[in-house]
């Protein structure tokens, strides 16, 4: 099967359009029917392109057939500009498998390997992907924090601007995830004054003009959601995300794909906790899960509008 059979589009066409017009595409992580429906409904409501991001562990959780059946069941049309993206693929094999399943882009995350090995595997993935008109994201530098069950990194190794041109030329990848101080999860900054390394981003953008850059670990960690969780029995302390003004600044510097997972996890949890606290006698999962799904939908609509600036972009050239 190819991604065109599912009505999906080539991710890089979306990214290049976003780059040209100065907005970003949200790559929102999905891992079940509820997150899928919420993200898709938000994209449709706002008339925004969107990337459905599926991590290796989310793919394990859903199973290939269930994921692709859901995608098919949603009757996605190419003019809706929806992409399906493998997030943090750690091997050539998983990337090739995702391409064969019908993903429209893959990320090969070999960022922890030595530079030469990262080039070798990223180039191999790009060669296979391009044969299928699928686009490829790679990562240079290490984005710290919790990534998934296969990848946990406690160090933060910023991208060296001196490496980026050689890397892109030798690998032929279509977009590049850069490490400029973001991190995965809900605990991104020790203090509220900590800023992203815009000096590094500026150098990369200068060396790679018109090239799509990607920010991982870019959740904003909305304080309202953390508060709802904590007032309804949760205990999330010292959570701190990337401020919206810094995300918007990054978008002016060639960042045109922004990855968001933790914000949606918080929204889902906040909805479920609220309903269960309000109705301690409830044991109907469809009721409390629906509240979680509704909060994921609201969060995606809000971020498409306030962070990505990608609403009403379906018909731009
Ligand atoms: O950056 C990665 C995502 O947050 C995926 O996490 O493997 O737990 O789905 P996950
Ligand atoms: P967050 O943990 O900041 O949502 O990052 C998600 C991400 O980078 C997925 O690849
Ligand atoms: Zn990531």
């Amino acid at each position: 099967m190819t991604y065109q059979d599912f009505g999906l589009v080539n991710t890089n066409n979306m990214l290049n359009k976003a780059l040209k017009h100065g907005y970003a595409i949200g790559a929102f992580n999905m891992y079940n029917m509820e997150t899928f429906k919420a993200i898709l409904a938000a994209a449709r409501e706002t008339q925004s392109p969107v990337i459905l991001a599926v991590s290796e562990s989310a793919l394990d959780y859903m199973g290939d057939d269930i994921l692709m059946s859901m995608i098919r069941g949603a009757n996605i049309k190419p003019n809706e500009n929806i992409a399906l993206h493998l997030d943090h693929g750690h091997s050539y094999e998983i990337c090739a498998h995702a391409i064969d399943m019908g993903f429209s882009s893959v990320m090969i995350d070999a960022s922890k390997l030595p530079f030469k090995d990262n080039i070798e595997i990223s180039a191999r993935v790009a060669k296979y992907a391009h044969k299928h008109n699928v686009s490829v994201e790679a990562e240079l530098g290490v984005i710290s924090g919790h990534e998934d069950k296969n990848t946990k990194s406690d160090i933060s190794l910023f991208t060296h601007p001196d490496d980026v041109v050689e890397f892109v030329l030798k690998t032929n990848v279509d977009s590049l995830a850069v490490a400029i101080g973001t991190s995965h999860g809900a605990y991104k900054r020790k203090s509220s004054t900590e800023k992203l390394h815009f000096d590094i981003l500026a150098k990369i953008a200068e060396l790679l003009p018109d090239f799509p850059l990607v920010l991982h670990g870019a959740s904003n960690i909305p304080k309202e959601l953390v508060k709802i969780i904590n007032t309804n029995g949760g205990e999330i302390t010292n959570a701190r995300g990337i401020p919206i003004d810094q995300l918007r600044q990054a978008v002016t510097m060639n960042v045109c794909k922004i990855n968001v997972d933790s914000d949606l996890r918080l929204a889902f949890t906040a909805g479920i906790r609220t309903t269960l606290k309000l109705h301690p006698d409830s044991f109907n999962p469809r009721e409390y899960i629906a509240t979680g799904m509704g909060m994921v939908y609201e969060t995606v609509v809000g971020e498409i509008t306030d962070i990505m600036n990608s609403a009403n972009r379906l018909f731009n050239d």
Side-chain angles (χ1 to χ4, degrees):
M1 290 300 243
T2 69
Y3 64 87
Q4 292 93 342
D5 296 327
F6 295 91
L8 301 164
V9 297
N10 182 309
T11 307
N12 246 55
N13 291 345
M14 284 167 50
L15 296 187
N16 283 314
K17 244 190 251 179
L19 191 59
K20 181 170 154 201
H21 293 282
Y23 61 95
I25 312 285
F28 297 102
N29 284 79
M30 60 162 284
Y31 33 82
N32 56 17
M33 183 193 73
E34 288 76 15
T35 45
F36 173 53
K37 283 179 74 172
I39 297 164
L40 190 63
R44 285 176 166 164
E45 173 62 24
T46 54
Q47 297 275 293
S48 169
V50 84
I51 295 170
L52 297 161
V54 176
S55 68
E56 277 191 48
S57 57
L59 187 56
D60 267 1
Y61 181 75
M62 291 182 282
D64 299 3
D65 291 344
I66 289 185
L67 168 64
M68 297 321 282
S69 302
M70 286 196 297
I71 302 277
R72 179 179 292 291
N75 284 318
I76 294 168
K77 302 279 177 273
N79 64 6
E80 292 186 293
N81 276 269
I82 311 283
L84 179 65
H85 175 79
L86 176 71
D87 192 27
H88 295 284
H90 290 94
S91 65
Y92 173 84
E93 288 73 21
I94 184 69
C95 291
H97 178 65
I99 293 165
D100 296 343
M101 278 173 67
F103 278 62
S104 52
S105 55
V106 294
M107 173 192 192
I108 172 70
D109 180 357
S111 55
K112 292 197 190 62
L113 299 183
F115 185 61
K116 267 180 75 174
D117 298 345
N118 189 352
I119 288 180
E120 191 270 326
I121 186 170
S122 301
R124 220 149 51 89
V125 171
K127 198 165 173 199
Y128 186 75
H130 291 163
K131 256 199 256 165
H132 297 80
N133 196 23
V134 163
S135 42
V136 178
E137 171 186 333
E139 179 175 319
L140 252 190
V142 176
I143 295 153
S144 66
H146 166 84
E147 284 184 356
D148 64 27
K149 72 174 196 248
N150 303 314
T151 309
K152 276 198 181 119
S153 160
D154 294 315
I155 51 158
S156 186
L157 200 64
F158 299 133
T159 305
H160 297 299
D162 295 347
D163 292 340
V164 296
V165 173
E166 181 184 353
F167 186 82
V168 167
L169 286 177
K170 287 191 171 160
T171 57
N172 211 15
V173 296
D174 307 286
S175 61
L176 185 66
V178 292
I180 58 162
T182 59
S183 62
H184 292 97
Y187 308 97
K188 299 183 189 301
R189 296 178 307 142
K190 290 194 185 63
S191 81
S192 52
T193 53
E194 217 171 287
K195 281 196 82 174
L196 295 180
H197 289 262
F198 287 110
D199 51 335
I200 299 178
L201 183 57
K203 277 191 202 140
I204 296 171
E206 191 189 329
L207 291 163
L208 289 178
D210 305 322
F211 190 81
L213 301 178
V214 179
L215 265 198
H216 280 251
S219 273
N220 167 250
I221 313 296
K223 288 202 173 0
E224 323 77 78
L225 292 179
V226 174
K227 193 168 166 202
I228 294 172
I229 291 173
N230 288 343
T231 52
N232 288 286
E235 278 181 30
I236 295 181
T237 48
N238 300 322
R240 215 173 259 126
I242 310 297
I244 290 181
D245 60 328
Q246 294 191 38
L247 293 170
R248 286 191 187 142
Q249 187 176 340
V251 175
T252 68
M253 302 163 86
N254 293 3
V255 167
C256 56
K257 172 173 177 277
I258 294 187
N259 286 20
V260 173
D261 186 0
S262 297
D263 286 352
L264 308 194
R265 294 182 185 203
L266 290 171
F268 208 165
T269 306
I272 290 173
R273 277 198 182 276
T274 307
T275 311
L276 287 178
K277 180 90 184 286
L278 209 60
H279 304 287
D281 58 334
S282 167
F283 62 98
N284 183 349
R286 285 206 307 266
E287 282 167 11
Y288 56 80
I289 290 176
T291 324
M293 180 164 63
M295 289 191 70
V296 173
Y297 166 81
E298 295 296 338
T299 302
V300 177
V301 167
E303 299 200 349
I304 280 175
T305 312
D306 299 338
I307 297 175
M308 314 301 163
N309 191 19
S310 63
N312 300 310
R313 300 284 191 174
L314 293 186
F315 305 107
N316 273 355
D317 277 329

PDB file of all heavy atoms in Angstrom, residues 64-95:
ATOM      1  N   ASP A  64      -0.154  -2.514  13.466  1.00  0.00           N
ATOM      2  CA  ASP A  64      -0.162  -1.950  12.102  1.00  0.00           C
ATOM      3  C   ASP A  64      -1.573  -1.920  11.507  1.00  0.00           C
ATOM      4  O   ASP A  64      -2.003  -0.908  10.944  1.00  0.00           O
ATOM      5  CB  ASP A  64       0.691  -2.807  11.156  1.00  0.00           C
ATOM      6  CG  ASP A  64       2.144  -2.894  11.573  1.00  0.00           C
ATOM      7  OD1 ASP A  64       2.499  -2.345  12.631  1.00  0.00           O
ATOM      8  OD2 ASP A  64       2.926  -3.520  10.833  1.00  0.00           O
ATOM      9  N   ASP A  65      -2.291  -3.050  11.614  1.00  0.00           N
ATOM     10  CA  ASP A  65      -3.567  -3.159  10.901  1.00  0.00           C
ATOM     11  C   ASP A  65      -4.619  -2.238  11.503  1.00  0.00           C
ATOM     12  O   ASP A  65      -5.418  -1.635  10.787  1.00  0.00           O
ATOM     13  CB  ASP A  65      -4.069  -4.607  10.924  1.00  0.00           C
ATOM     14  CG  ASP A  65      -3.177  -5.497  10.062  1.00  0.00           C
ATOM     15  OD1 ASP A  65      -2.407  -4.948   9.244  1.00  0.00           O
ATOM     16  OD2 ASP A  65      -3.236  -6.727  10.225  1.00  0.00           O
ATOM     17  N   ILE A  66      -4.613  -2.138  12.816  1.00  0.00           N
ATOM     18  CA  ILE A  66      -5.625  -1.269  13.456  1.00  0.00           C
ATOM     19  C   ILE A  66      -5.341   0.182  13.101  1.00  0.00           C
ATOM     20  O   ILE A  66      -6.257   0.943  12.752  1.00  0.00           O
ATOM     21  CB  ILE A  66      -5.663  -1.521  14.975  1.00  0.00           C
ATOM     22  CG1 ILE A  66      -6.303  -2.901  15.181  1.00  0.00           C
ATOM     23  CG2 ILE A  66      -6.441  -0.426  15.712  1.00  0.00           C
ATOM     24  CD1 ILE A  66      -6.551  -3.314  16.590  1.00  0.00           C
ATOM     25  N   LEU A  67      -4.067   0.585  13.142  1.00  0.00           N
ATOM     26  CA  LEU A  67      -3.738   1.971  12.763  1.00  0.00           C
ATOM     27  C   LEU A  67      -4.214   2.254  11.336  1.00  0.00           C
ATOM     28  O   LEU A  67      -4.938   3.229  11.090  1.00  0.00           O
ATOM     29  CB  LEU A  67      -2.223   2.219  12.874  1.00  0.00           C
ATOM     30  CG  LEU A  67      -1.759   3.532  12.239  1.00  0.00           C
ATOM     31  CD1 LEU A  67      -2.368   4.738  12.966  1.00  0.00           C
ATOM     32  CD2 LEU A  67      -0.228   3.645  12.247  1.00  0.00           C
ATOM     33  N   MET A  68      -3.829   1.403  10.402  1.00  0.00           N
ATOM     34  CA  MET A  68      -4.135   1.713   9.005  1.00  0.00           C
ATOM     35  C   MET A  68      -5.636   1.583   8.725  1.00  0.00           C
ATOM     36  O   MET A  68      -6.170   2.286   7.872  1.00  0.00           O
ATOM     37  CB  MET A  68      -3.304   0.842   8.051  1.00  0.00           C
ATOM     38  CG  MET A  68      -1.796   1.071   8.148  1.00  0.00           C
ATOM     39  SD  MET A  68      -1.231   2.786   8.384  1.00  0.00           S
ATOM     40  CE  MET A  68      -1.391   3.469   6.731  1.00  0.00           C
ATOM     41  N   SER A  69      -6.327   0.738   9.476  1.00  0.00           N
ATOM     42  CA  SER A  69      -7.786   0.652   9.304  1.00  0.00           C
ATOM     43  C   SER A  69      -8.452   1.942   9.786  1.00  0.00           C
ATOM     44  O   SER A  69      -9.415   2.413   9.177  1.00  0.00           O
ATOM     45  CB  SER A  69      -8.372  -0.524  10.086  1.00  0.00           C
ATOM     46  OG  SER A  69      -7.777  -1.710   9.677  1.00  0.00           O
ATOM     47  N   MET A  70      -7.929   2.498  10.868  1.00  0.00           N
ATOM     48  CA  MET A  70      -8.500   3.773  11.344  1.00  0.00           C
ATOM     49  C   MET A  70      -8.267   4.868  10.309  1.00  0.00           C
ATOM     50  O   MET A  70      -9.149   5.673  10.014  1.00  0.00           O
ATOM     51  CB  MET A  70      -7.859   4.195  12.684  1.00  0.00           C
ATOM     52  CG  MET A  70      -8.319   3.389  13.863  1.00  0.00           C
ATOM     53  SD  MET A  70      -7.933   4.176  15.441  1.00  0.00           S
ATOM     54  CE  MET A  70      -6.162   4.233  15.461  1.00  0.00           C
ATOM     55  N   ILE A  71      -7.054   4.893   9.762  1.00  0.00           N
ATOM     56  CA  ILE A  71      -6.730   5.933   8.772  1.00  0.00           C
ATOM     57  C   ILE A  71      -7.664   5.784   7.566  1.00  0.00           C
ATOM     58  O   ILE A  71      -8.267   6.748   7.098  1.00  0.00           O
ATOM     59  CB  ILE A  71      -5.246   5.820   8.322  1.00  0.00           C
ATOM     60  CG1 ILE A  71      -4.301   5.932   9.519  1.00  0.00           C
ATOM     61  CG2 ILE A  71      -4.924   6.823   7.215  1.00  0.00           C
ATOM     62  CD1 ILE A  71      -3.965   7.300   9.988  1.00  0.00           C
ATOM     63  N   ARG A  72      -7.818   4.553   7.104  1.00  0.00           N
ATOM     64  CA  ARG A  72      -8.693   4.331   5.952  1.00  0.00           C
ATOM     65  C   ARG A  72     -10.137   4.735   6.292  1.00  0.00           C
ATOM     66  O   ARG A  72     -10.821   5.372   5.493  1.00  0.00           O
ATOM     67  CB  ARG A  72      -8.642   2.865   5.523  1.00  0.00           C
ATOM     68  CG  ARG A  72      -9.544   2.565   4.341  1.00  0.00           C
ATOM     69  CD  ARG A  72      -9.470   1.123   3.894  1.00  0.00           C
ATOM     70  NE  ARG A  72      -8.209   0.741   3.314  1.00  0.00           N
ATOM     71  CZ  ARG A  72      -7.754   1.166   2.147  1.00  0.00           C
ATOM     72  NH1 ARG A  72      -8.453   2.020   1.439  1.00  0.00           N
ATOM     73  NH2 ARG A  72      -6.598   0.759   1.694  1.00  0.00           N
ATOM     74  N   GLY A  73     -10.548   4.392   7.490  1.00  0.00           N
ATOM     75  CA  GLY A  73     -11.936   4.652   7.901  1.00  0.00           C
ATOM     76  C   GLY A  73     -12.262   6.132   8.003  1.00  0.00           C
ATOM     77  O   GLY A  73     -13.432   6.516   8.010  1.00  0.00           O
ATOM     78  N   ALA A  74     -11.248   6.969   8.083  1.00  0.00           N
ATOM     79  CA  ALA A  74     -11.500   8.414   8.238  1.00  0.00           C
ATOM     80  C   ALA A  74     -11.741   9.100   6.892  1.00  0.00           C
ATOM     81  O   ALA A  74     -12.017  10.306   6.857  1.00  0.00           O
ATOM     82  CB  ALA A  74     -10.331   9.067   8.966  1.00  0.00           C
ATOM     83  N   ASN A  75     -11.619   8.353   5.794  1.00  0.00           N
ATOM     84  CA  ASN A  75     -11.889   8.932   4.463  1.00  0.00           C
ATOM     85  C   ASN A  75     -11.151  10.241   4.221  1.00  0.00           C
ATOM     86  O   ASN A  75     -11.749  11.257   3.845  1.00  0.00           O
ATOM     87  CB  ASN A  75     -13.384   9.187   4.273  1.00  0.00           C
ATOM     88  CG  ASN A  75     -14.094   7.893   4.000  1.00  0.00           C
ATOM     89  OD1 ASN A  75     -13.594   7.065   3.242  1.00  0.00           O
ATOM     90  ND2 ASN A  75     -15.239   7.699   4.647  1.00  0.00           N
ATOM     91  N   ILE A  76      -9.865  10.213   4.448  1.00  0.00           N
ATOM     92  CA  ILE A  76      -9.055  11.431   4.286  1.00  0.00           C
ATOM     93  C   ILE A  76      -8.894  11.739   2.801  1.00  0.00           C
ATOM     94  O   ILE A  76      -8.664  10.836   1.988  1.00  0.00           O
ATOM     95  CB  ILE A  76      -7.679  11.215   4.968  1.00  0.00           C
ATOM     96  CG1 ILE A  76      -7.888  11.075   6.493  1.00  0.00           C
ATOM     97  CG2 ILE A  76      -6.716  12.347   4.643  1.00  0.00           C
ATOM     98  CD1 ILE A  76      -6.675  10.581   7.243  1.00  0.00           C
ATOM     99  N   LYS A  77      -9.039  13.006   2.467  1.00  0.00           N
ATOM    100  CA  LYS A  77      -8.902  13.418   1.055  1.00  0.00           C
ATOM    101  C   LYS A  77      -7.592  14.188   0.896  1.00  0.00           C
ATOM    102  O   LYS A  77      -7.198  14.946   1.798  1.00  0.00           O
ATOM    103  CB  LYS A  77     -10.060  14.343   0.654  1.00  0.00           C
ATOM    104  CG  LYS A  77     -11.439  13.710   0.834  1.00  0.00           C
ATOM    105  CD  LYS A  77     -11.772  12.794  -0.345  1.00  0.00           C
ATOM    106  CE  LYS A  77     -13.105  12.096  -0.173  1.00  0.00           C
ATOM    107  NZ  LYS A  77     -13.071  10.824   0.568  1.00  0.00           N
ATOM    108  N   PRO A  78      -6.921  14.030  -0.262  1.00  0.00           N
ATOM    109  CA  PRO A  78      -5.621  14.693  -0.436  1.00  0.00           C
ATOM    110  C   PRO A  78      -5.685  16.213  -0.200  1.00  0.00           C
ATOM    111  O   PRO A  78      -4.742  16.791   0.326  1.00  0.00           O
ATOM    112  CB  PRO A  78      -5.250  14.394  -1.890  1.00  0.00           C
ATOM    113  CG  PRO A  78      -6.064  13.199  -2.259  1.00  0.00           C
ATOM    114  CD  PRO A  78      -7.293  13.188  -1.406  1.00  0.00           C
ATOM    115  N   ASN A  79      -6.816  16.826  -0.520  1.00  0.00           N
ATOM    116  CA  ASN A  79      -6.860  18.297  -0.327  1.00  0.00           C
ATOM    117  C   ASN A  79      -6.991  18.695   1.145  1.00  0.00           C
ATOM    118  O   ASN A  79      -6.979  19.876   1.473  1.00  0.00           O
ATOM    119  CB  ASN A  79      -7.954  18.945  -1.183  1.00  0.00           C
ATOM    120  CG  ASN A  79      -9.340  18.490  -0.791  1.00  0.00           C
ATOM    121  OD1 ASN A  79      -9.504  17.776   0.204  1.00  0.00           O
ATOM    122  ND2 ASN A  79     -10.332  18.896  -1.563  1.00  0.00           N
ATOM    123  N   GLU A  80      -7.084  17.709   2.048  1.00  0.00           N
ATOM    124  CA  GLU A  80      -7.104  18.042   3.482  1.00  0.00           C
ATOM    125  C   GLU A  80      -5.681  18.194   4.039  1.00  0.00           C
ATOM    126  O   GLU A  80      -5.500  18.633   5.175  1.00  0.00           O
ATOM    127  CB  GLU A  80      -7.848  16.961   4.262  1.00  0.00           C
ATOM    128  CG  GLU A  80      -9.330  16.936   3.960  1.00  0.00           C
ATOM    129  CD  GLU A  80     -10.074  15.951   4.842  1.00  0.00           C
ATOM    130  OE1 GLU A  80      -9.848  14.729   4.699  1.00  0.00           O
ATOM    131  OE2 GLU A  80     -10.881  16.400   5.671  1.00  0.00           O
ATOM    132  N   ASN A  81      -4.702  17.797   3.246  1.00  0.00           N
ATOM    133  CA  ASN A  81      -3.291  17.951   3.665  1.00  0.00           C
ATOM    134  C   ASN A  81      -2.979  17.278   4.999  1.00  0.00           C
ATOM    135  O   ASN A  81      -2.540  17.931   5.951  1.00  0.00           O
ATOM    136  CB  ASN A  81      -2.916  19.437   3.757  1.00  0.00           C
ATOM    137  CG  ASN A  81      -2.525  19.989   2.421  1.00  0.00           C
ATOM    138  OD1 ASN A  81      -1.358  19.979   2.060  1.00  0.00           O
ATOM    139  ND2 ASN A  81      -3.510  20.433   1.653  1.00  0.00           N
ATOM    140  N   ILE A  82      -3.223  15.985   5.040  1.00  0.00           N
ATOM    141  CA  ILE A  82      -2.928  15.214   6.253  1.00  0.00           C
ATOM    142  C   ILE A  82      -1.757  14.277   5.926  1.00  0.00           C
ATOM    143  O   ILE A  82      -1.791  13.559   4.915  1.00  0.00           O
ATOM    144  CB  ILE A  82      -4.132  14.342   6.693  1.00  0.00           C
ATOM    145  CG1 ILE A  82      -5.439  15.135   6.728  1.00  0.00           C
ATOM    146  CG2 ILE A  82      -3.842  13.624   8.008  1.00  0.00           C
ATOM    147  CD1 ILE A  82      -5.641  16.044   7.888  1.00  0.00           C
ATOM    148  N   ALA A  83      -0.757  14.286   6.784  1.00  0.00           N
ATOM    149  CA  ALA A  83       0.393  13.391   6.599  1.00  0.00           C
ATOM    150  C   ALA A  83       0.453  12.399   7.758  1.00  0.00           C
ATOM    151  O   ALA A  83      -0.013  12.692   8.865  1.00  0.00           O
ATOM    152  CB  ALA A  83       1.680  14.204   6.540  1.00  0.00           C
ATOM    153  N   LEU A  84       1.011  11.234   7.477  1.00  0.00           N
ATOM    154  CA  LEU A  84       1.218  10.222   8.529  1.00  0.00           C
ATOM    155  C   LEU A  84       2.725   9.995   8.632  1.00  0.00           C
ATOM    156  O   LEU A  84       3.372   9.623   7.645  1.00  0.00           O
ATOM    157  CB  LEU A  84       0.495   8.916   8.146  1.00  0.00           C
ATOM    158  CG  LEU A  84       0.634   7.763   9.137  1.00  0.00           C
ATOM    159  CD1 LEU A  84      -0.041   8.103  10.472  1.00  0.00           C
ATOM    160  CD2 LEU A  84      -0.005   6.479   8.552  1.00  0.00           C
ATOM    161  N   HIS A  85       3.250  10.220   9.814  1.00  0.00           N
ATOM    162  CA  HIS A  85       4.704  10.317   9.982  1.00  0.00           C
ATOM    163  C   HIS A  85       5.190   9.356  11.065  1.00  0.00           C
ATOM    164  O   HIS A  85       4.629   9.326  12.168  1.00  0.00           O
ATOM    165  CB  HIS A  85       5.020  11.769  10.376  1.00  0.00           C
ATOM    166  CG  HIS A  85       6.447  12.031  10.705  1.00  0.00           C
ATOM    167  ND1 HIS A  85       7.418  12.202   9.745  1.00  0.00           N
ATOM    168  CD2 HIS A  85       7.078  12.181  11.907  1.00  0.00           C
ATOM    169  CE1 HIS A  85       8.586  12.457  10.329  1.00  0.00           C
ATOM    170  NE2 HIS A  85       8.400  12.425  11.640  1.00  0.00           N
ATOM    171  N   LEU A  86       6.233   8.593  10.765  1.00  0.00           N
ATOM    172  CA  LEU A  86       6.859   7.758  11.802  1.00  0.00           C
ATOM    173  C   LEU A  86       7.780   8.654  12.623  1.00  0.00           C
ATOM    174  O   LEU A  86       8.729   9.240  12.100  1.00  0.00           O
ATOM    175  CB  LEU A  86       7.668   6.620  11.165  1.00  0.00           C
ATOM    176  CG  LEU A  86       8.422   5.754  12.178  1.00  0.00           C
ATOM    177  CD1 LEU A  86       7.460   4.885  12.998  1.00  0.00           C
ATOM    178  CD2 LEU A  86       9.466   4.874  11.496  1.00  0.00           C
ATOM    179  N   ASP A  87       7.486   8.745  13.913  1.00  0.00           N
ATOM    180  CA  ASP A  87       8.247   9.617  14.809  1.00  0.00           C
ATOM    181  C   ASP A  87       9.369   8.803  15.471  1.00  0.00           C
ATOM    182  O   ASP A  87       9.110   7.719  16.022  1.00  0.00           O
ATOM    183  CB  ASP A  87       7.260  10.147  15.866  1.00  0.00           C
ATOM    184  CG  ASP A  87       7.809  11.278  16.693  1.00  0.00           C
ATOM    185  OD1 ASP A  87       8.682  12.009  16.212  1.00  0.00           O
ATOM    186  OD2 ASP A  87       7.328  11.446  17.843  1.00  0.00           O
ATOM    187  N   HIS A  88      10.577   9.290  15.422  1.00  0.00           N
ATOM    188  CA  HIS A  88      11.725   8.614  16.062  1.00  0.00           C
ATOM    189  C   HIS A  88      11.876   7.150  15.645  1.00  0.00           C
ATOM    190  O   HIS A  88      11.879   6.247  16.498  1.00  0.00           O
ATOM    191  CB  HIS A  88      11.645   8.691  17.592  1.00  0.00           C
ATOM    192  CG  HIS A  88      11.760  10.084  18.127  1.00  0.00           C
ATOM    193  ND1 HIS A  88      12.959  10.762  18.207  1.00  0.00           N
ATOM    194  CD2 HIS A  88      10.815  10.942  18.577  1.00  0.00           C
ATOM    195  CE1 HIS A  88      12.740  11.966  18.698  1.00  0.00           C
ATOM    196  NE2 HIS A  88      11.450  12.112  18.916  1.00  0.00           N
ATOM    197  N   GLY A  89      11.970   6.916  14.334  1.00  0.00           N
ATOM    198  CA  GLY A  89      12.309   5.562  13.884  1.00  0.00           C
ATOM    199  C   GLY A  89      13.782   5.313  14.185  1.00  0.00           C
ATOM    200  O   GLY A  89      14.637   6.134  13.853  1.00  0.00           O
ATOM    201  N   HIS A  90      14.069   4.190  14.828  1.00  0.00           N
ATOM    202  CA  HIS A  90      15.453   3.975  15.262  1.00  0.00           C
ATOM    203  C   HIS A  90      16.262   3.041  14.378  1.00  0.00           C
ATOM    204  O   HIS A  90      17.438   2.811  14.641  1.00  0.00           O
ATOM    205  CB  HIS A  90      15.474   3.475  16.718  1.00  0.00           C
ATOM    206  CG  HIS A  90      15.061   4.540  17.681  1.00  0.00           C
ATOM    207  ND1 HIS A  90      13.764   4.668  18.114  1.00  0.00           N
ATOM    208  CD2 HIS A  90      15.759   5.556  18.239  1.00  0.00           C
ATOM    209  CE1 HIS A  90      13.687   5.707  18.922  1.00  0.00           C
ATOM    210  NE2 HIS A  90      14.877   6.269  19.017  1.00  0.00           N
ATOM    211  N   SER A  91      15.628   2.495  13.348  1.00  0.00           N
ATOM    212  CA  SER A  91      16.399   1.598  12.467  1.00  0.00           C
ATOM    213  C   SER A  91      15.938   1.771  11.032  1.00  0.00           C
ATOM    214  O   SER A  91      14.824   2.243  10.771  1.00  0.00           O
ATOM    215  CB  SER A  91      16.192   0.135  12.894  1.00  0.00           C
ATOM    216  OG  SER A  91      14.834  -0.229  12.692  1.00  0.00           O
ATOM    217  N   TYR A  92      16.801   1.344  10.111  1.00  0.00           N
ATOM    218  CA  TYR A  92      16.431   1.326   8.689  1.00  0.00           C
ATOM    219  C   TYR A  92      15.185   0.466   8.512  1.00  0.00           C
ATOM    220  O   TYR A  92      14.251   0.830   7.794  1.00  0.00           O
ATOM    221  CB  TYR A  92      17.607   0.750   7.880  1.00  0.00           C
ATOM    222  CG  TYR A  92      17.258   0.525   6.433  1.00  0.00           C
ATOM    223  CD1 TYR A  92      17.335   1.574   5.518  1.00  0.00           C
ATOM    224  CD2 TYR A  92      16.825  -0.726   5.987  1.00  0.00           C
ATOM    225  CE1 TYR A  92      16.984   1.373   4.184  1.00  0.00           C
ATOM    226  CE2 TYR A  92      16.475  -0.927   4.668  1.00  0.00           C
ATOM    227  CZ  TYR A  92      16.558   0.125   3.766  1.00  0.00           C
ATOM    228  OH  TYR A  92      16.209  -0.073   2.464  1.00  0.00           O
ATOM    229  N   GLU A  93      15.147  -0.679   9.214  1.00  0.00           N
ATOM    230  CA  GLU A  93      14.066  -1.646   9.011  1.00  0.00           C
ATOM    231  C   GLU A  93      12.708  -1.063   9.391  1.00  0.00           C
ATOM    232  O   GLU A  93      11.733  -1.222   8.659  1.00  0.00           O
ATOM    233  CB  GLU A  93      14.327  -2.926   9.836  1.00  0.00           C
ATOM    234  CG  GLU A  93      15.456  -3.793   9.304  1.00  0.00           C
ATOM    235  CD  GLU A  93      16.863  -3.199   9.538  1.00  0.00           C
ATOM    236  OE1 GLU A  93      17.022  -2.334  10.445  1.00  0.00           O
ATOM    237  OE2 GLU A  93      17.790  -3.590   8.802  1.00  0.00           O
ATOM    238  N   ILE A  94      12.634  -0.372  10.529  1.00  0.00           N
ATOM    239  CA  ILE A  94      11.319   0.157  10.939  1.00  0.00           C
ATOM    240  C   ILE A  94      10.877   1.273   9.981  1.00  0.00           C
ATOM    241  O   ILE A  94       9.690   1.403   9.658  1.00  0.00           O
ATOM    242  CB  ILE A  94      11.295   0.611  12.434  1.00  0.00           C
ATOM    243  CG1 ILE A  94       9.885   1.075  12.862  1.00  0.00           C
ATOM    244  CG2 ILE A  94      12.265   1.723  12.725  1.00  0.00           C
ATOM    245  CD1 ILE A  94       8.869  -0.023  12.952  1.00  0.00           C
ATOM    246  N   CYS A  95      11.839   2.060   9.493  1.00  0.00           N
ATOM    247  CA  CYS A  95      11.475   3.126   8.544  1.00  0.00           C
ATOM    248  C   CYS A  95      10.945   2.512   7.247  1.00  0.00           C
ATOM    249  O   CYS A  95       9.904   2.938   6.727  1.00  0.00           O
ATOM    250  CB  CYS A  95      12.679   4.028   8.257  1.00  0.00           C
ATOM    251  SG  CYS A  95      13.164   5.026   9.676  1.00  0.00           S
TER     252      CYS A  95
END
